């Protein structure tokens, strides 16, 4: 749950776009819709309306992925539930990257070998692992995150776990789901990422910055660090309070106006005046983040640096 005063977060299931299937329209109608630019193809036999408003590449990829989920649901006859990253999308969770395949879980294969756009998972589910989100059958939130932790690269899994915890998933429920998974593959990775998951992360970028320094062997930073300044109390994204080092993650859309920049400059100066050293981080800085942070920490940290192998996979 959010810790910073004024911050709020809750599960907001995805709104599914309207989709059309090839089987439902004469070929000439489909061709005309595509030629006129009113429709776009998202996967074999699935079409969605072109967006009239501008959207980022990430937003467009999410919309197309959700369209494929909706189209897949209409095409499948056998019992099925959307799972893994596809379920995360339906739950409205941010992801580090958008899946290009639709993940389906069921008692039998869902045609994944015949349809490259479907990733089919076979297995039984307990009743508590099943629910409905946005009108579609989906794995529970805890099961969804547990599956993602076990199958995704650690950074990608952490982004999903952090966001779910931040939106109210109890850590006890997630822990139980991780330990309840019967599949052995990815179990160690899931437990390693779960150990550093934190409900204080408010964006994928903050999760990524924390992941990099922890993976590289640095002490686990605190999220949402409270700092009293002459302008009042501010909350840094993450940092090491004992060393008075703070990290602030800056996304591309964080400062929309000159007034935002002015306010952030005052905030930054007020933090520095307390004796804190503030390091600003963007996505381009992640590969070299540990090298930038280490000079700000005691030499003993550098000497004891031991990368965490379980997070390097």
């Amino acid at each position: 749950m959010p810790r910073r005063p004024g911050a709020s977060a809750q599960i907001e299931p995805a709104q599914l776009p309207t989709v059309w299937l090839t089987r439902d329209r004469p070929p000439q109608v489909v061709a005309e819709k595509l030629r006129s630019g009113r429709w776009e193809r998202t996967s074999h036999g699935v079409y969605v309306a072109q967006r009239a408003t501008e959207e980022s590449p990430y937003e467009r990829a999410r919309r197309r992925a959700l369209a494929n989920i909706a189209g897949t649901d209409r095409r499948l006859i056998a019992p099925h539930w959307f799972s893994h990253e596809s379920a995360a999308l339906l739950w409205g969770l941010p992801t580090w990257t958008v899946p290009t395949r639709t993940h389906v879980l069921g008692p039998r294969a869902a045609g994944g070998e015949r349809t490259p756009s479907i990733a089919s998972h076979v297995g039984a589910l307990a009743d508590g692992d099943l629910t409905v989100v946005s009108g579609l059958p989906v794995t529970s939130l805890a099961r969804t995150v547990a599956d993602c932790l076990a199958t995704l690269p650690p950074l990608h899994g952490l982004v999903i776990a952090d966001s779910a915890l931040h939106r109210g998933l109890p850590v006890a429920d997630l822990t139980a789901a991780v330990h309840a998974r019967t599949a052995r593959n990815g179990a160690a990775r899931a437990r390693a990422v779960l150990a550093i998951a934190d409900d204080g992360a408010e964006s994928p970028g903050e999760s990524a910055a924390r992941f990099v320094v922890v993976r590289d062997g640095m002490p686990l930073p605190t999220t949402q660090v409270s700092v009293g300044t002459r302008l009042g109390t501010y909350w840094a994204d993450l940092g090491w309070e004992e060393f008075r080092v703070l990290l602030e993650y800056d996304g591309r859309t964080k400062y929309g106006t000159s007034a935002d920049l002015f306010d952030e400059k005052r905030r930054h100066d007020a933090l520095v005046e307390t004796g804190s050293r503030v390091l600003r981080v963007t996505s381009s800085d992640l590969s070299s983040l540990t090298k930038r942070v280490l000079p700000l920490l005691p030499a003993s940290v550098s000497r004891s640096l031991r990368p965490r192998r379980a997070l390097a996979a």
Side-chain angles (χ1 to χ4, degrees):
M1 296 293 289
R3 293 199 296 271
R4 179 173 56 85
S8 62
Q10 59 185 358
I11 292 295
E12 296 182 358
Q15 293 186 346
L16 295 176
T18 300
V19 299
W20 295 272
L21 305 184
T22 300
R23 71 184 188 191
D24 298 332
R25 294 289 188 279
Q28 61 270 26
V29 172
V30 174
E32 190 280 326
K33 296 286 188 180
L34 291 174
R35 188 167 50 249
S36 66
R38 283 179 285 179
W39 285 7
E40 64 174 301
R41 180 180 180 271
T42 60
S43 66
H44 179 70
V46 179
Y47 303 89
V48 67
Q50 287 274 19
R51 283 288 294 271
T53 57
E54 185 177 349
E55 57 185 349
S56 69
Y58 178 78
E59 292 170 335
R60 182 171 186 266
R62 281 184 72 98
R63 179 173 59 84
R64 291 171 60 89
L66 288 168
N68 288 335
I69 292 171
T72 299
D73 182 66
R74 288 175 56 185
R75 292 160 62 185
L76 292 178
I77 299 175
H80 62 276
W81 295 269
F82 294 101
S83 64
H84 298 74
E85 293 171 278
S86 297
L89 292 178
L90 289 172
W91 280 106
L93 300 178
T95 56
W96 190 244
T97 58
V98 179
T100 57
R101 304 177 73 192
T102 299
H103 291 262
V104 179
L105 175 64
R108 296 181 297 277
E113 294 181 0
R114 299 187 304 274
T115 309
S117 61
I118 295 178
S120 185
H121 306 270
V122 179
L125 285 175
D127 289 343
D129 287 337
L130 307 176
T131 189
V132 175
V133 174
S134 297
L136 299 184
V138 67
T139 51
S140 68
L141 183 58
R143 174 60 189 261
T144 295
V145 178
D147 286 340
C148 289
L149 288 179
T151 58
L152 291 177
L155 167 57
H156 298 221
L158 181 64
V159 167
I160 291 173
D162 279 357
S163 61
L165 294 174
H166 185 66
R167 287 161 172 76
L169 174 63
V171 67
D173 290 359
L174 178 54
T175 301
V178 167
H179 289 284
R181 286 186 86 257
T182 56
R184 294 184 179 181
N185 291 342
R189 175 172 51 203
R191 290 193 294 269
V193 179
L194 175 63
I196 65 170
D198 193 317
D199 64 358
E202 297 184 355
S203 72
E206 293 176 31
S207 297
R210 191 174 84 259
F211 172 81
V212 168
V213 295
V214 173
R215 177 202 62 194
D216 292 347
M218 298 183 66
L220 187 66
T222 301
T223 59
Q224 302 307 319
V225 181
S226 173
V227 183
T229 76
R230 61 180 174 81
L231 297 178
T233 300
Y234 287 125
W235 297 75
D237 293 337
L238 63 152
W240 295 268
E241 296 176 89
E242 66 273 32
F243 305 135
R244 303 188 74 129
V245 174
L246 306 175
L247 267 62
E248 292 278 80
Y249 187 87
D250 291 339
R252 289 184 179 275
T253 61
K254 186 172 183 178
Y255 309 118
T257 67
S258 57
D260 293 333
L261 286 170
F262 178 77
D263 291 342
E264 182 57 30
K265 177 64 166 59
R266 295 189 71 223
R267 178 180 181 277
H268 178 89
D269 290 345
L271 288 171
V272 171
E273 288 170 10
T274 67
S276 299
R277 288 163 293 176
V278 182
L279 188 64
R280 310 202 77 86
V281 183
T282 68
S283 59
S284 301
D285 301 322
L286 292 176
S287 61
S288 59
L289 181 56
T290 298
K291 291 182 179 180
R292 294 182 62 202
V293 174
L294 278 177
L296 304 179
L297 304 182
S300 59
V301 174
S302 297
R303 290 195 296 268
S304 62
L305 208 62
R306 297 292 184 274
R308 291 170 170 83
R309 293 183 179 179
L311 298 178

